[in-house]
Amino acid sequence: MHNKSVAELSRELESGKISSVELTQEFLDRIKREDSKYNSFITVTEEQALADARVADEQRAAGNATPWTGVPFAHKDIFCTNGVRTTCGSKMLENFVPPYDATVTANFREAGAVCLGKTNMDEFAMGSSNENSYFGAVTNPWGLSEGNKRVPGGSSGGSAAAVAARLIPAATATDTGGSIRQPAALCGVTGLKPTYGRVSRYGMIAFASSLDQGGTMARTAEDNALMLNVMAGFDPKDSTSIDREVPDYTATLNEPLKGLRIGLPREYFSDQLSPAMEQQVRNAVKEYEKLGATVKEVSLPNAKLAIAAYYVIAPAEASANLSRFDGVRYGYRCENPKDLMDLYTRSRAEGFGEEVKRRILVGTYALSAGYFDAYYLKAQKVRRLIQQDFINAFKEVDVLMSPTTPSPAFIQGEKTSDPVTMYLEDVFTIAINLAGVPAMSVPAGFVDGLPVGLQIIGDYFSEARLLNAAHQFQQVTDWHQRKPQ
């Protein structure tokens, strides 16, 4: 059963061939047996999962089922779960147990899905390799050999690795600068970052509030559509949530692609991209042409400024958001503080990891008197230019396609000593977050035995079109079905 998709498992449960308790136990046993190789989970909620599975079986027997009733999945450990530890990958929240559910968590609970636990992640979602977790690095299932272990990408590396390793069929994730699409690409799974405001951020621990967006991680586009059906929608508890009708994202999956206009941003096919990676992406685009799509080159002239703008805006917002972790109200508190200032400084110094402290320092500097206009305000003006580039491009085409990452998964430890090199791993994903448009990564081949992702970018609220394009591609290719040895 662990090789089946969410859609297939839902049909198996509906037919009565297997119960949710049996299915849940199979996945729990697999996690227990296999996850020591990947470290993809921080917390496994075995007792609660089996209890939820029994309730799900009762609901199906009573005819009160949704497509998700009894289907196992996992949450990225950034979504608050009532009564279940939520760490955000940090020592600061190592023992934090929320007294409430995030809206995303509550939506899946209401749909009858069975959460098996919380997946590992870069601390406070800051990282591109999942090496910044207080609970240890996650290993990519496609690169397990000793001395040559590969990163799964970040910050949602635990979710991506767990799905790729068939420990779970699907997992929630979040994306601030590429944290769904980049790990999806490196682990050979399908991940979607929706339009900013499409999915509620209530109960999703904040990194950069104007960039963070909850999204989906699964093996197929169809499963991503099933997830988004549960996650999307207006939430009055989130002031950035957009009140707009939510379609059934599975309804248009099988529409033909004849006439689809694809744009290839010339800035994303640059010297930063290896020839082997570019060839795989162009091969994928040729499949779309066979399906009736037309292709043209377009330009995003300000894309080159995206990383610089992002690494002013995101740290600035992080420094404000993380100021609440002071050792007073909740979270880690240092032992035997001498006075209030000692409590503040030692609790934060001991509770936060190196990358989080680095970004807090950068962000605080950018927001300080005398530098706000020079850095933060200027970065926001550049952001508006980047947004306009996408608006202009979508006047000419329906979707944009590009590589998701400049290279396949790199070796653990290879880039940890050089933060700037690590930041460049998000060169093709960051502009999308600054603009707030939706995008997804779809498996599109291999380079040196490691997965390659095709990034599909859409106009605002065009998630259904992206999922349709991805689903049709997956009907004529099998990259998404490949699994690690």
Side-chain angles (χ1 to χ4, degrees):
M1 285 292 167
H2 63 264
N3 282 316
K4 292 183 181 292
S5 67
V6 170
E8 290 168 336
L9 292 174
S10 183
R11 289 192 288 270
E12 295 284 332
L13 288 165
E14 181 66 26
S15 70
K17 290 181 180 177
I18 192 168
S19 71
S20 179
V21 170
E22 292 170 325
L23 186 60
T24 299
Q25 190 64 64
E26 179 174 331
F27 278 104
L28 287 169
D29 289 345
R30 187 167 172 79
I31 292 168
K32 204 177 295 183
R33 191 172 61 247
E34 302 285 340
D35 195 45
S36 59
K37 293 184 286 191
Y38 316 115
N39 193 33
S40 64
F41 277 84
I42 291 174
T43 302
V44 177
T45 52
E46 183 170 3
E47 286 185 19
Q48 184 63 55
L50 290 169
D52 290 346
R54 285 190 286 273
V55 172
D57 284 334
E58 290 169 7
Q59 289 176 327
R60 282 203 177 269
N64 298 324
T66 75
W68 275 96
T69 302
V71 177
F73 80 112
H75 280 301
K76 181 178 179 179
D77 203 17
I78 197 170
F79 290 99
C80 286
T81 41
N82 190 357
V84 176
R85 184 174 68 146
T86 301
T87 71
C88 220
S90 178
K91 180 179 180 179
M92 184 62 79
L93 291 175
E94 181 180 8
N95 298 307
F96 173 58
V97 178
Y100 69 100
D101 275 334
T103 297
V104 165
T105 307
N107 288 355
F108 274 103
R109 198 186 298 278
E110 190 176 329
V114 177
C115 179
L116 303 188
K118 312 292 289 292
T119 59
N120 206 342
M121 57 179 285
D122 281 304
E123 184 181 9
F124 285 101
M126 299 182 193
S128 303
S129 64
N130 223 136
E131 295 171 286
N132 296 331
S133 172
Y134 174 67
F135 300 92
V138 177
T139 302
N140 192 325
W142 291 94
L144 289 171
S145 56
E146 205 57 50
N148 195 35
K149 289 186 176 180
R150 303 279 170 166
V151 302
S155 62
S156 307
S159 291
V163 172
R166 275 50 175 178
L167 303 185
I168 43 171
T172 56
T174 63
D175 195 309
T176 305
S179 291
I180 289 175
R181 292 157 289 151
Q182 190 242 21
L186 299 191
C187 290
V189 300
T190 306
L192 169 67
K193 181 207 89 72
T195 304
Y196 181 78
R198 179 81 284 188
V199 172
S200 172
R201 293 190 305 109
Y202 176 75
M204 190 179 96
I205 297 170
F207 160 18
S209 300
S210 74
L211 299 162
D212 297 343
Q213 185 57 199
T216 61
M217 194 87 76
R219 292 198 298 277
T220 70
E222 182 182 18
D223 287 357
N224 278 259
L226 288 166
M227 292 188 77
L228 196 58
N229 278 349
V230 174
M231 294 174 73
F234 176 65
D235 180 11
K237 296 176 184 175
D238 175 9
S239 63
T240 62
S241 179
I242 295 173
D243 191 358
R244 184 179 172 123
E245 186 180 350
V246 179
D248 177 358
Y249 292 105
T250 63
T252 53
L253 289 176
N254 293 312
E255 288 188 358
L257 297 185
K258 186 170 176 59
L260 181 74
R261 298 173 301 165
I262 297 172
L264 303 182
R266 68 173 65 97
E267 292 80 7
Y268 285 4
F269 291 86
S270 62
D271 294 341
Q272 290 168 302
L273 184 63
S274 73
M277 290 284 290
E278 180 173 352
Q279 188 59 53
Q280 291 299 317
V281 172
R282 291 196 181 277
N283 288 345
V285 173
K286 286 177 183 174
E287 291 295 334
Y288 278 99
E289 289 183 293
K290 293 177 189 175
L291 292 168
T294 59
V295 179
K296 66 177 290 187
E297 189 178 79
V298 297
S299 179
L300 300 172
N302 294 293
K304 63 182 180 294
L305 304 173
I307 287 183
Y310 176 89
Y311 280 103
V312 172
I313 295 169
E317 295 184 7
S319 73
N321 279 324
L322 271 60
S323 65
R324 71 193 68 174
F325 301 108
D326 55 11
V328 175
R329 286 159 290 192
Y330 57 89
Y332 176 79
R333 177 183 292 194
C334 69
E335 292 185 7
N336 304 316
K338 291 182 294 186
D339 52 33
L340 186 62
M341 186 56 69
D342 187 45
L343 170 68
Y344 287 159
T345 54
R346 280 179 48 217
S347 294
R348 290 170 66 79
E350 294 169 15
F352 289 135
E354 291 304 310
E355 181 61 27
V356 173
K357 285 189 271 197
R358 181 183 294 118
R359 297 198 195 193
I360 289 173
L361 288 169
V362 169
T364 304
Y365 179 82
L367 292 176
S368 59
Y371 298 102
F372 180 88
D373 288 354
Y375 293 106
Y376 186 75
L377 190 61
K378 182 64 68 71
Q380 290 288 21
K381 290 177 178 178
V382 169
R383 181 182 193 170
R384 184 65 184 87
L385 294 175
I386 290 168
Q387 182 185 37
Q388 192 61 49
D389 284 349
F390 282 98
I391 291 170
N392 293 341
F394 289 122
K395 290 175 182 175
E396 301 179 44
V397 296
D398 300 315
V399 297
L400 300 172
M401 291 188 182
S402 77
T404 308
T405 60
S407 61
F410 49 93
I411 296 170
Q412 287 180 349
E414 186 179 322
K415 301 186 180 185
T416 49
S417 61
D418 186 353
V420 175
T421 304
M422 184 75 80
Y423 296 164
L424 290 173
E425 284 300 305
D426 296 329
V427 65
F428 300 135
T429 56
I430 276 177
I432 286 88
N433 295 82
L434 291 170
V437 295
M440 64 188 299
S441 182
V442 181
F446 289 83
V447 168
D448 299 329
L450 297 167
V452 172
L454 169 71
Q455 182 172 226
I456 312 174
I457 309 161
D459 202 354
Y460 297 101
F461 301 102
S462 66
E463 289 85 358
R465 174 175 278 162
L466 298 186
L467 289 161
N468 167 227
H471 181 70
Q472 290 303 305
F473 179 71
Q474 291 180 344
Q475 300 309 295
V476 295
T477 62
D478 68 349
W479 303 120
H480 63 291
Q481 295 175 345
R482 305 286 181 92
K483 56 183 179 179
Q485 294 274 328

